[in-house]
Amino acid sequence: MSTDGSSDLSISRTARDAPLPRPDPIEQLPLLILFPHSHCNCRCLMCDIWRNGPGEALSTDAVARWIPQWRRLGVKRVVLSGGEALMHSRLWEMCAALKDAGIDLSLLSSGLLLRRHADDIVTYCDEVIVSLDGPPELHDLIRNVPRAFRRLSDGIAAVMTAAQARGARVALSGRCTVQRQNCSSLREVVRTARVLGLERISFLAADVSSDAFNRPGGWDTQRAAQIALSREDLPQLQLELSALERDHFADFTSGFIVESPRKLYDRLYRYYAALLGEGEFTLNRCNAPWVSAVIETDGTVRPCFFQPPLGNLHQAQDLQAILNGPEARAWRAGLDVQRDATCRRCVCTLSMPRDAAPQRADIADA
């Protein structure tokens, strides 16, 4: 699956349009998202994870104990998210255990530490998804870290070099979070992704309404307005989307830009317009709570990034027991993703067709 979470391009349009599987009880869980570390080495304008002090680390020993139950659940791919996973001091021990269990690994990263860990990344991960906010100056501004773009560029080059030396295949793609600072720079993002040598680029809107990303209680209106587009920004975004479709038609056709022009319009323009009360949110098509789960650094299990916890592995000691407990099953039975307030505002959905193994770590619907 791809960086923005869109469905793998090899899946047919017919399969993508078919009703999504929602098995209950859950006996097969293809995708698992882990937060190895709760801190981040960026200070991004649209995220508060970096405010989480030194952060916490997911226990490598605990993961080793949990892997047999994950195998019984049929986990095929683990996505290393967070926080910045590369800040975990024993990350590669964890990855070795997962790889030995036959589980594929995708890494979501800010890119600042790619160069340092290039050899291990190539050894254990078959996909790396980096955050890209724009050309160098704009990327550095949004990441709020000196030389962030240079470190990202050097890191991508180091992973490519290590992969070539090993004869290994590592898919390198980018994901851009669109917000006020870069909403008129989408074409520059695509051109920059090409220069960096990325295989694909995807776009999603900034989440400004949930309590995810270390925002207990969520942002207040004033803080959200610093990231979300204003009414004055909407025409600018619309013009940029039209120019992107015109100037990069070949990139849409080839799949270098993961989403279709219509999907980008829905995912970006309609989302920000709906936040302002101008129209409705696009109806989401998502089955994340039935085919995936998120495990945070403290063992908390969520059905996705944004919905409330279902339990904690340190207490239950069994992921399947948490997912199929009476409270979790009742919650899923009552969840209508097209009407639920959290789902309607979700910026990152998962749409996994029946019997489709997660070939890449996409967290959203194409």
Side-chain angles (χ1 to χ4, degrees), residues 159-172:
V159 172
M160 289 179 174
T161 299
Q164 185 176 22
R166 301 266 195 92
R169 173 75 176 99
V170 179
L172 277 159

Side-chain angles (χ1 to χ4, degrees), residues 123-349:
T123 298
Y124 297 107
C125 302
D126 62 10
E127 181 183 34
V128 177
I129 304 165
V130 298
S131 299
L132 178 63
D133 299 304
E137 297 81 5
L138 182 56
H139 182 83
D140 288 356
L141 172 68
I142 293 174
R143 293 282 126 180
N144 202 19
V145 173
R147 300 177 64 252
F149 184 87
R150 178 61 181 273
R151 294 167 68 180
L152 170 64
S153 177
D154 290 348
I156 291 171
V159 172
M160 289 179 174
T161 299
Q164 185 176 22
R166 301 266 195 92
R169 173 75 176 99
V170 179
L172 277 159
S173 54
R175 175 172 55 191
C176 177
T177 300
V178 178
Q179 36 104 349
R180 293 193 72 180
Q181 294 287 346
N182 63 2
C183 66
S184 61
S185 302
L186 307 188
R187 286 170 293 169
E188 290 186 82
V189 171
V190 174
R191 289 192 288 268
T192 302
R194 283 286 189 193
V195 171
L196 287 171
L198 298 177
E199 297 180 18
R200 302 201 292 178
I201 183 68
S202 63
F203 297 89
L204 72 164
D207 170 57
V208 298
S209 57
S210 80
D211 61 1
F213 312 115
N214 193 36
R215 299 183 304 216
W219 279 340
D220 59 30
T221 303
Q222 183 177 5
R223 179 68 179 91
Q226 295 174 4
I227 302 301
L229 273 61
S230 67
R231 284 183 171 82
E232 291 73 26
D233 295 319
L234 284 177
Q236 190 174 349
L237 174 62
Q238 190 168 30
L239 287 173
E240 183 66 14
L241 288 170
S242 296
L244 181 66
E245 181 177 6
R246 180 192 66 232
D247 297 349
H248 291 273
F249 176 81
D251 288 324
F252 282 110
T253 302
S254 69
F256 181 75
I257 300 175
V258 173
E259 301 84 8
S260 67
R262 167 51 61 182
K263 176 62 70 174
L264 283 185
Y265 182 84
D266 289 344
R267 181 173 289 177
L268 301 176
Y269 184 88
R270 286 189 63 181
Y271 168 79
Y272 282 120
L275 284 178
L276 293 165
E278 299 185 5
E280 297 293 328
F281 291 98
T282 301
L283 294 178
N284 275 333
R285 172 181 161 84
C286 178
N287 62 343
W290 291 268
V291 296
S292 68
V294 175
I295 299 177
E296 299 180 353
T297 52
D298 64 354
T300 295
V301 176
R302 294 179 183 268
C304 69
F305 287 105
F306 307 107
Q307 291 286 0
L310 300 174
N312 189 292
L313 276 175
H314 291 300
Q315 299 168 4
Q317 292 296 319
D318 189 301
L319 181 58
Q320 192 165 23
I322 293 174
L323 297 178
N324 292 326
E327 293 183 4
R329 293 186 65 180
W331 178 81
R332 287 194 298 271
L335 179 63
D336 183 340
V337 297
Q338 295 192 344
R339 291 181 172 82
D340 179 80
T342 298
C343 293
R344 291 183 65 209
R345 291 170 175 255
C346 183
V347 300
C348 190
T349 59

Side-chain angles (χ1 to χ4, degrees), residues 32-53:
L32 191 59
I33 302 160
L34 296 187
F35 289 6
H37 207 284
S38 64
H39 188 50
C40 186
N41 50 2
C42 279
R43 301 166 63 89
C44 299
L45 304 182
M46 60 283 189
C47 178
D48 285 346
I49 290 177
W50 60 272
R51 300 180 187 273
N52 197 25

Side-chain angles (χ1 to χ4, degrees), residues 1 77-81 104-108 124-129 359-361:
M1 299 162 73
R77 179 170 295 274
V78 162
V79 180
L80 305 172
S81 184
D104 294 327
L105 290 169
S106 296
L107 171 67
L108 307 185
Y124 297 107
C125 302
D126 62 10
E127 181 183 34
V128 177
I129 304 165
Q359 298 300 314
R360 293 188 177 181

